[in-house]
Amino acid sequence: MKRIIAQLFNGLLLMAIIASCSDDTKLEEQRKHSNKKATDPFSDVTRTDENINERNPGPGGGIIMQAFYWDVPAGGTWYQTIESKISDWDAAGVSAIWLPPVSKAMNGPNSMGYDPFDYFDFGDYDQQGSVETRFGSRTELESLINTAHQYDIEVYADIVLNHNSGGDLEANPFTGTDTYTDYNPASGKFYRSASDFHPNAVVGSDEGVFGGFPDLSHSTSYVQDWLWNRSDGVGKYYRDELGFDGWRFDYVKGFGGWVVREWMNNVGGFAVGEYWDGNAQLLQDWVNSTNRTASAFDFACYYRMDEAFDGNDLTKLQGDMLWKRDAAKAVTFVTNHDTDEIWDKMHAYAYIFTHEGYPTLFYQDYEEWLDQDKLDNLMWIHRNLATGGTDILYADNDEYVARRNGNPGIVVYLNDSNQWLERWVPTNWGNSVIKDYTGNSNWEPTTQNDQWVKIQCPPNSYTVWSLK
């Protein structure tokens, strides 16, 4: 019996030695392969951690909830719907909510707010077919904002400055025709006429016209006063009377970055612009044109994720993105009320919640379409573990591995294949037990003295590793 046991022991020992040699060989091969593949062509782009924790409920930073989608239910109940969710969102890790345009628009109770008529009617006046907006009354809006503030959640207003809609016809001396540029709002504030739109006596045009709507001219002193200079103008009224903490600027391609700069210099708060372009350099140029007073939605990241996850080529994640250039000014997202192209959304959320930038969660993804528990888990990881700069360790069609270098930091492993995958990777932890905080793997490996470790990822899934 002892001989049999001894023979078994010797056999197992030999197998262990062979496995160890095989692992060592594989480790060396993967180290070489990883070093060859890990290059990020944008890793030397100047980045900054400036204000990275400005909206920071945890070490990893804040999370925005886009608290609406296109064609939310009409009838004036939406503000109440959102208010009822504030407590749960706070517990999940949301630190800010982005509301749709809150003022009365041309289409009144049917409008999503992007055809603004009266910037000071929040559901108070009987005009454009209703008293309340599609979303509710002013009282309900203020209650929602107050409840959010009780949970230390910021509230961002969607600001549409490029164009207006719903004006009456008037003779336009600058065009020689009749135009819909006569605005007589029931609030009695910010009357507009032909001289406040393009063309006018000051300037003929600006950077862009949207949908044939009258194009508001920000170059006239009257418009500037009502938008950001006056103490009772749009910006300061929304800040001081309604309690908004920040701004999402719609269609900023339609006017110069100086407009947002002047708003921010006079009003303050947080700002993000919708500069809809997949070119990261153009996004960076726009941020710079605001004198870095505003962030931009990272459309470059959005399109690279679509190519990577829906196109089954994770090397696309090595492409240029705003967060790689200027993480403090990049707002990342997976979908929004205008565009919903990414089908493999859980991989995309795993990406934005583990990488740099200020991530945005879409209402329907969280409340209706995706696994809420998995999103809650990724938000927890973002807030508590995902800190520091980013190094891409490996990328091919099916695999992507990146490391966040903060304290504690993480290693994220994305698998777009139909089989379990394993990979040796360098970490920032030596002789330490690590675990997968998503629960998708039950491994708890110990990193080697040289900080390398083997990790794994299930088929079509992701794992996120950090110190146990």
Side-chain angles (χ1 to χ4, degrees), residues 145-211:
I145 294 172
N146 288 336
T147 297
H149 287 167
Q150 289 171 15
Y151 286 90
D152 292 325
I153 291 177
E154 294 188 336
V155 185
Y156 302 155
D158 203 317
I159 303 294
V160 185
L161 300 181
N162 179 75
H163 53 273
N164 291 169
S165 186
D168 295 325
L169 272 175
E170 65 175 342
N172 189 328
F174 307 104
T175 64
T177 63
D178 290 345
T179 55
Y180 289 96
T181 50
D182 183 19
Y183 286 77
N184 296 280
S187 67
K189 294 185 175 184
F190 199 11
Y191 293 99
R192 282 145 283 160
S193 65
S195 60
D196 303 311
F197 298 89
H198 295 121
N200 55 50
V202 177
V203 63
S205 63
D206 63 1
E207 283 74 7
V209 176
F210 181 80

Side-chain angles (χ1 to χ4, degrees), residues 27 152 196 219 383:
L27 171 58
D152 292 325
D196 303 311
S219 297
R383 292 179 59 181

Side-chain angles (χ1 to χ4, degrees), residues 12-28:
L12 290 172
L13 179 62
L14 179 61
M15 291 174 62
I17 292 171
I18 293 171
S20 175
C21 292
S22 175
D23 276 352
D24 287 344
T25 302
K26 185 176 181 181
L27 171 58
E28 288 305 315

